Amino acid sequence: MEDRRSKNIPMGSAILCGRTRRSDPHRLAAAALLTCLAGSLACASAPSAAESESRLAALAPFAGTWTHDEAATIEAARATGGGSQEDLAQRASDMWMTEMRDRGEAGNAIDGTPAGLRQTMVMLGVTPRTITFGVLDDALSAAYEEDTPVALPVSGGWVDATAPQGSIEARIRWDGTRFAVERRISGGGTIRDTFSILESGHLLLTREIVWRRPQPVGLIVFRR
């Protein structure tokens, strides 16, 4: 009987159904490329330990409860040219009416569901009186006013949450060491609140709605 172990199988060959077949070098290259891409995607979705530690350190100064500072918000609106009359509720209402008019004139169907879009605009116009942050082992605990705190992983993954407007999804969105809290409603849009700390020690919230494209809405200033 022939000893198959004594046969030399050429490099780049594969055994298929008991037969030796030379592998296509293009297939090998494609497989290697797919493996590299898969590894890159995995790395992109899962930050390294050092990156997670850096993100947690960036979040530490935001820990605590922040209270809406109406006077500072008005001053910041004036400084940016928004004007004190441009409160979030009015801005959200204006954007809603403009969107509906543009869609009607273009004859296009409205993206999403009417209920989802309406609830997005309601949430968009709410000025939270307080925001509370807490830094956990691998997440940021965030609570808008009396909402149930939600733990947002520093990796940026979406998690289920609740709001007065109903069930939502939320996550942290990173831009270097800057972060934003994103909240999205099924059938609606995404509200993006980017946070930064001013030289005065105030917390600045810059709000956008991501609905087909990011659109600036307004800003809110908080104090400790």
Side-chain angles (χ1 to χ4, degrees):
M1 179 180 293
E2 182 183 11
D3 187 355
R4 293 182 181 271
R5 291 175 300 177
S6 64
K7 275 194 170 186
N8 293 321
I9 299 177
M11 291 290 291
S13 299
I15 299 177
L16 180 62
C17 298
R19 293 176 298 171
T20 302
R21 188 189 69 178
R22 182 171 297 277
S23 298
D24 186 344
H26 295 291
R27 290 183 180 178
L28 291 174
L33 177 60
L34 289 174
T35 301
C36 292
L37 288 175
S40 299
L41 291 174
C43 292
S45 60
S48 65
E51 187 176 11
S52 294
E53 185 176 348
S54 175
R55 290 178 174 180
L56 290 171
L59 294 173
F62 296 86
T65 298
W66 301 84
T67 303
H68 175 226
D69 190 325
E70 185 174 359
T73 298
I74 293 173
E75 182 61 30
R78 288 174 177 167
T80 58
S84 59
Q85 75 281 3
E86 293 288 335
D87 59 59
L88 291 183
Q90 183 61 51
R91 176 69 174 143
S93 177
D94 292 344
M95 294 179 72
W96 171 259
M97 295 300 294
T98 300
E99 181 72 19
M100 295 301 101
R101 184 184 65 250
D102 292 347
R103 292 304 184 95
E105 292 175 353
N108 296 331
I110 300 174
D111 294 337
T113 66
L117 297 174
R118 184 167 53 251
Q119 290 299 83
T120 300
M121 288 302 176
V122 171
M123 181 183 290
L124 187 71
V126 173
T127 297
R129 297 303 165 186
T130 61
I131 293 181
T132 302
F133 291 127
V135 180
L136 309 177
D137 289 340
D138 58 355
L140 174 71
S141 172
Y144 285 69
E145 294 191 352
E146 301 301 323
D147 293 357
T148 302
V150 56
L152 306 173
V154 295
S155 63
W158 290 98
V159 296
D160 294 330
T162 59
Q165 293 73 31
S167 297
I168 63 172
E169 291 181 301
R171 73 167 181 176
I172 293 181
R173 181 179 187 273
W174 291 96
D175 181 9
T177 57
R178 296 187 63 194
F179 79 98
V181 173
E182 291 191 333
R183 297 173 293 163
R184 68 184 181 190
I185 295 178
S186 178
T190 298
I191 298 171
R192 179 183 297 162
D193 292 337
T194 301
F195 294 93
S196 59
I197 295 179
L198 304 175
E199 291 184 1
S200 62
H202 287 78
L203 174 71
L204 175 64
L205 181 161
T206 303
R207 179 163 290 179
E208 295 177 297
I209 180 172
V210 184
W211 186 5
R212 297 181 298 164
R213 64 185 183 279
Q215 301 180 63
V217 180
L219 50 84
I220 313 171
V221 179
F222 299 82
R223 55 178 170 76
R224 289 193 185 273

